[in-house]
Amino acid sequence: MAAPTVAQWEDMPPLPSHESTRSTAPTPAPDLTPAADAAARGPTDDAAAADRAATAQGTEESVAAQLDQSAAAQLSQAASLSPLAPLSVPVFRMLWLTWVAANTCMWMNDVAAAWLMTTLTTSPILVALVQSASTLPVFLLGLPSGALADILDRRRYFIATQFWVAAVALVLCVFVMAGGMTAPLLLMLTFANGIGLAMRWPVFAAIVPELVSRPQLPAALALNGVAMNASRIIGPLLAGAIIASAGSAWVFVLNAVLSVISGLVIMRWKRTHVPSPLGRERLPSAMRVGLQFVRQSPRMRAVLWRISIFFLHATALLALLPLLARGLEGGGAGTFTLLLASMGAGAITAAMFLPRLRQAMARDVLVIRGTALQAVATGVMAVAPNVYVAVPAMFVAGMAWITTANSLSVSAQLALPNWVRARGMSIYQMAIMGSTALGAAVWGQVATLSDVHVSLGIAAGTGVVAMLLVQRLVADRSMEEDLSPSRAFKAPVADAPPSTGHVVVTIEYFIDPTRATEFRAVMQESRRSRLRQGALAWQLLHDISQPARYVERIEDESWTEHLRRFDRVTASDVALRDRKLAFHVGDAPPRVTRWAVES
């Protein structure tokens, strides 16, 4: 390790002086009622009395005006918290309608591709692989696509995803109309369409908090759930009607047209992309930082555990629903569609009541009650004899599904700062896809070894128990952090910054030995903060010969990556810095030294 290239204070300003402040007793407010005014003034001239009366009247009018403004503000706040309030924001409304169209295209494509495969082959495995080819890219490419959405201009990236999906749909249409479609080619093109979906989801999840205010964010995310469930109803019905009347090729034609229109609509969004003066992050480094942030965030880890457990068990109902529909009295394809539509309708209905539920219950309470309600609906479906019992159960399942998923999605969004939001939400989506795939395989195997009803019963019972255990063992005890950006830490300037190699920063503290235990606890928070910002490694060194001396050591991938950490500082990090400073004793602030690693 070479000699230090720079030695200066990093994020440690001079220790604040403790200035005394004087307090004064408040001046009592005058009693401005007319009776009190008349008793107090005594014999005075009429002009002075008139002035005081005017003042009193003016004050009463001012108070009345303030009350009117307060009432108007309360009404405005109530309106902003309504489930449809985000749609009053023009940009959100425009992009939300685009999202509805995009999801409708997704469901239409899945239905058309699955039906087309049945005309190309009778192999069950090839038919089943259509679903795998559609969803696998979301799991495999979730993190890279999230990293790209954080690195690139999100508006242009979103537009590119729409044109990618349109191009794939056009190729599908051409091959179908030309009679050249084969089963392997259909799987390849379905996988290519899935790549577009994998690219599109993280960027849309990341831009939603940019479009609405923080109080409206839960309602905006609920509307996204409405879009998904509405498209789940509209897409298959529309695709089925087109296939029956014109053929599968025209479904792909409509997909291409809608995707192009969606891309053109997004082009109307006037978003200003501010590129980093440090340049774009390298993709491998951006992916590492995204994973590292989630790993070092207790709140995100808690969210991921909860969403994984929920979908691992709740997916049993959807995975086995075709068999349930077939087993009902008079069950068939129409019954299956009716049950899916009932679930979507339940989700849309629940979304309208989510603002009231969030005001009445904490998010963790909503999650456990939503899980319990989902388990009840699954249990009822396990014993339902006909559609008259099954349809209400699926309606309730849809309500429980969106309530739980929305609560956890809001928690994930609030746990992520903007600079890493797309990466964090892509990992969140990967957790959903992975647990869904695993759950379908597990409960399908259980149904094979026993039967469908036993499998659903076990999934319902174990789902509630598992969520209760996770809530207890992986509890999110940390307070909600202020993740708003802060410029309190000034980036260092070096005369000759290193062009290659790692950079090591050391910060030297002198601590009262009697407070060492408290200091170490705070420094563990510092470790998580540094690693979430992108540092490669962190250590706390204790001088054996000087028990009061501690050295914090942070290692960065390069000088550029070291500077990036200053752009990622939040208000919470500033508060943590102040807590560390409170332990330091001495007249000078902690000494900061930067080192360039040469070998």
Side-chain angles (χ1 to χ4, degrees):
M1 182 179 292
T5 56
V6 179
Q8 57 181 322
W9 312 128
E10 183 191 38
D11 52 5
M12 301 295 177
L15 295 178
S17 59
H18 301 283
E19 299 177 355
S20 61
T21 58
R22 294 182 301 171
S23 60
T24 57
T27 303
D31 187 350
L32 296 175
T33 60
D37 182 52
R41 71 173 182 260
T44 57
D45 57 24
D46 293 339
D51 288 341
R52 282 192 294 270
T55 301
Q57 182 180 0
T59 303
E60 290 174 356
E61 292 175 352
S62 175
V63 171
Q66 290 177 0
L67 291 174
D68 290 340
Q69 291 176 358
S70 177
Q74 291 177 356
L75 289 174
S76 176
Q77 182 180 9
S80 68
L81 294 178
S82 72
L84 301 179
L87 293 177
S88 64
V89 181
V91 177
F92 177 81
R93 182 171 62 248
M94 176 182 70
L95 294 181
W96 183 80
L97 291 173
T98 302
W99 189 241
V100 173
N103 283 296
T104 301
C105 289
M106 177 189 71
W107 286 105
M108 289 172 60
N109 187 88
D110 287 352
V111 170
W115 181 257
L116 181 60
M117 183 62 81
T118 63
T119 67
L120 298 174
T121 180
T122 57
S123 170
I125 186 63
L126 288 176
V127 175
L129 283 176
V130 172
Q131 185 67 22
S132 299
S134 177
T135 57
L136 189 60
V138 181
F139 181 75
L140 296 178
L141 304 177
L143 185 56
S145 63
L148 288 173
D150 279 330
I151 295 172
L152 305 176
D153 182 343
R154 288 174 178 170
R155 172 180 170 273
R156 293 184 178 180
Y157 187 68
F158 198 11
I159 294 170
T161 64
Q162 291 301 117
F163 288 134
W164 173 277
V165 172
V168 173
L170 187 60
V171 172
L172 274 164
C173 171
V174 169
F175 273 97
V176 172
M177 288 186 169
M181 182 60 69
T182 63
L185 180 59
L186 179 58
L187 289 177
M188 290 174 57
L189 291 174
T190 303
F191 187 87
N193 185 73
I195 292 176
L197 302 180
M199 294 165 59
R200 182 173 61 200
W201 196 91
V203 67
F204 186 78
I207 64 177
V208 169
E210 298 181 20
L211 307 178
V212 298
S213 63
R214 186 184 179 95
Q216 290 181 347
L217 180 59
L221 297 177
L223 285 172
N224 290 349
V226 169
M228 177 63 74
N229 285 280
S231 62
R232 178 183 291 173
I233 300 171
I234 297 170
L237 293 177
L238 188 58
I242 295 175
I243 291 172
S245 59
S248 300
W250 291 100
V251 176
F252 302 125
V253 170
L254 182 58
N255 278 355
V257 171
L258 288 177
S259 297
V260 169
I261 292 175
S262 298
L264 295 176
V265 169
I266 299 171
M267 292 175 69
R268 296 179 55 197
W269 177 26
K270 304 301 181 183
R271 179 183 187 271
T272 303
H273 174 65
V274 181
S276 171
L278 300 173
R280 292 176 180 171
E281 291 182 73
R282 296 184 302 108
L283 184 59
S285 178
M287 293 168 60
R288 173 188 65 82
V289 172
L291 284 171
Q292 202 164 283
F293 183 96
V294 170
R295 184 179 180 183
Q296 298 300 329
S297 171
R299 293 177 62 199
M300 275 302 295
R301 290 203 310 271
V303 169
L304 292 179
W305 270 103
R306 286 159 172 74
I307 199 66
S308 298
I309 289 297
F310 178 75
F311 274 92
L312 178 68
H313 293 83
T315 197
L317 182 57
L318 277 182
L320 301 175
L321 191 60
L323 297 175
L324 285 173
R326 187 179 296 275
L328 295 175
E329 293 181 6
T335 303
F336 177 61
T337 303
L338 175 63
L339 294 178
L340 278 179
S342 300
M343 187 174 187
I348 293 172
T349 302
M352 299 298 103
F353 294 95
L354 280 176
R356 294 182 182 179
L357 291 175
R358 282 190 293 267
Q359 290 178 346
M361 289 176 278
R363 277 197 289 269
D364 273 359
V365 175
L366 274 177
V367 169
I368 193 62
R369 293 186 178 179
T371 303
L373 194 60
Q374 172 70 32
V376 170
T378 301
V380 171
M381 284 299 297
V383 298
N386 51 52
V387 294
Y388 300 105
V389 176
V391 166
M394 291 300 295
F395 187 88
V396 171
M399 296 178 67
W401 193 291
I402 197 171
T403 299
T404 307
N406 176 260
S407 300
L408 292 172
S409 181
V410 170
S411 296
Q413 289 278 13
L414 296 180
L416 295 165
N418 187 58
W419 66 268
V420 76
R421 179 167 282 119
R423 279 167 279 189
M425 292 308 295
S426 69
I427 294 171
Y428 174 82
Q429 180 70 5
M430 289 170 66
I432 292 177
M433 299 301 292
S435 57
T436 298
L438 178 61
V442 168
W443 303 118
Q445 184 64 25
V446 173
T448 302
L449 297 176
S450 55
D451 61 47
V452 172
H453 308 289
V454 171
S455 181
L456 287 177
I458 296 174
T462 57
V464 177
V465 174
M467 185 63 76
L468 287 171
L469 287 175
V470 166
Q471 294 250 28
R472 183 177 181 86
L473 300 177
V474 197
D476 180 12
R477 297 186 177 90
S478 60
M479 295 180 62
E480 192 167 297
E481 298 174 292
D482 185 355
L483 299 179
S484 55
S486 174
R487 295 294 177 183
F489 298 175
K490 302 302 179 183
V493 178
D495 295 332
S499 57
T500 60
H502 292 183
V503 171
V504 173
V505 182
T506 57
I507 308 175
E508 185 179 83
Y509 301 88
F510 286 91
I511 306 299
D512 182 352
T514 61
R515 304 186 66 193
T517 302
E518 299 173 65
F519 177 70
R520 292 192 187 99
V522 172
M523 292 308 289
Q524 286 305 308
E525 295 183 44
S526 182
R527 172 184 177 274
R528 288 191 292 269
S529 174
R530 307 289 192 185
L531 293 176
R532 281 189 300 181
Q533 292 168 357
L536 279 177
W538 182 95
Q539 291 176 315
L540 181 63
L541 309 178
H542 187 198
D543 192 334
I544 297 175
S545 60
Q546 296 185 63
R549 182 171 178 258
Y550 288 82
V551 176
E552 183 180 15
R553 182 184 182 276
I554 310 114
E555 184 172 356
D556 290 305
E557 187 177 356
S558 65
W559 179 254
T560 300
E561 294 305 313
H562 172 63
L563 296 180
R564 286 193 200 280
R565 285 203 291 111
F566 289 84
D567 292 335
R568 297 166 178 169
V569 172
T570 65
S572 179
D573 295 321
V574 177
L576 177 59
R577 184 272 311 271
D578 294 340
R579 290 169 59 198
K580 290 187 291 185
L581 277 175
F583 287 94
H584 181 70
V585 295
D587 297 330
R591 179 175 177 80
V592 180
T593 309
R594 292 177 173 82
W595 307 79
V597 179
E598 295 186 350
S599 60

